[in-house]
């Protein structure tokens, strides 16, 4: 069965610094999604990655997908406090409609 | 507000009681999903509908759980004989499966605010 792992699980970083969150998955998939969740809130869609080599950017966040390595990255540039949240990746096994979410990365940006 | 809505937002019940939650998806979305999320974990897939057809159901879902989407619009999730282990946030999401209308964000899921269930 498809497994999705994220690392790190917790990330505390200073404002202005750069960092990358990794999402690894265990079986073939051609779609990967990134979400943000604030404490006590629901999930907000960030990026939809549909093909190998896909790269999407919005603001200080950039996501990429390497389907051959079964790896997606979420890169944070010059972090600001407002980016503090939990970030999830989700993968859909080819031929199913079942989204499997990673364990999440809890990001805290310190002023 | 044209987002996904869920009712009730909070539900406290005693063990052994039945509960029902409702989800109203974004009106033009043909796909609907239910998830369960416990503290510190990612959402866990429960079931999926395309229009009114339930096409996939998690093996983790016991016989006490049932979901319907009778007219391909709103959906209900019922839990019978609740147990303390059912305490969680229940999330509903909807999506549009049509490539051309999704602006390249194929099957992007939009989540509702969730129903927080506490079983005493």
């Amino acid at each position: 069965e498809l497994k999705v792992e994220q690392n790190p699980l917790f990330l505390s970083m200073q404002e202005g610094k750069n960092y990358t969150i990794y999402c690894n998955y265990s079986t073939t998939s051609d779609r990967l999604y990134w979400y943000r969740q604030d404490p006590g809130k629901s999930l907000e869609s960030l990026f939809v990655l549909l093909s190998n080599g896909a790269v999407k950017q919005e603001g200080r966040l950039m996501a990429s997908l390497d389907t051959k390595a079964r790896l997606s990255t979420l890169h944070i540039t010059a972090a600001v406090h407002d980016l503090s949240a939990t970030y999830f990746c989700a993968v859909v096994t080819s031929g199913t409609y079942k989204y499997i979410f990673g364990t999440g990365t809890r990001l805290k940006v310190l002023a | 507000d044209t987002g996904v809505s869920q009712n009730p937002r909070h539900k406290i019940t005693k063990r052994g009681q039945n509960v029902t939650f409702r989800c109203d998806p974004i009106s033009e979305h043909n796909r609907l999903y239910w998830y369960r999320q416990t503290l510190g974990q990612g959402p866990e897939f429960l079931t999926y509908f395309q229009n009114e057809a339930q096409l996939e159901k998690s093996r983790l879902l016991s016989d006490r759980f049932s979901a319907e989407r009778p007219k391909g619009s709103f959906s209900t999730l019922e839990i019978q004989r609740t147990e303390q282990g059912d305490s969680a946030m229940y999330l509903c999401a909807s999506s549009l499966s049509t490539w051309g209308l999704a602006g390249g964000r194929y099957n992007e899921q939009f989540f509702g605010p969730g129903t927080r269930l506490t079983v005493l």
Side-chain angles (χ1 to χ4, degrees), chain A residues 2 15 25 34 56 62 80 83 89 96-98 100:
Chain A
L2 174 62
E15 277 195 329
Y25 53 97
W34 282 96
K56 298 287 179 69
M62 183 173 71
V80 294
L83 291 179
C89 61
T96 78
Y97 305 100
K98 188 175 176 180
I100 304 298

Side-chain angles (χ1 to χ4, degrees), chain B residues 42-72:
Chain B
E44 177 184 31
F45 173 85
L46 294 178
T47 192
Y48 157 71
F49 290 86
Q50 177 144 331
N51 300 312
E52 66 274 11
Q54 187 175 22
L55 296 185
E56 198 151 1
K57 187 175 175 180
S58 171
R59 288 176 292 176
L60 300 173
L61 216 59
S62 74
D63 291 342
R64 297 185 297 107
F65 288 72
S66 62
E68 293 183 342
R69 194 182 182 198
K71 297 183 180 179

Side-chain angles (χ1 to χ4, degrees), chain A residues 1 31 33-35 37 40-48 50 56 58 88 90 92 95-104 106, chain B residues 31 33 35 37 40-45 48 50 55-56 58-59 89 91 95 99 104-114 116:
Chain A
E1 179 161 309
R31 286 187 278 144
Y33 302 79
W34 282 96
Y35 295 88
Q37 187 174 38
K41 305 289 187 181
S42 192
L43 283 82
E44 173 192 353
S45 177
L46 294 174
F47 297 108
V48 178
L50 301 176
K56 298 287 179 69
E58 186 157 337
F88 293 98
V92 183
T96 78
Y97 305 100
K98 188 175 176 180
Y99 286 65
I100 304 298
F101 280 76
T103 47
R106 190 178 302 175
Chain B
R31 293 182 171 177
Y33 306 78
Y35 293 88
Q37 186 177 27
Q41 301 296 316
E44 177 184 31
F45 173 85
Y48 157 71
Q50 177 144 331
L55 296 185
E56 198 151 1
S58 171
R59 288 176 292 176
M89 177 75 85
L91 296 167
S95 69
W99 282 89
R105 296 176 74 92
Y106 176 70
N107 219 41
E108 178 182 27
Q109 294 186 43
F110 293 85
F111 281 81
R116 183 168 295 283

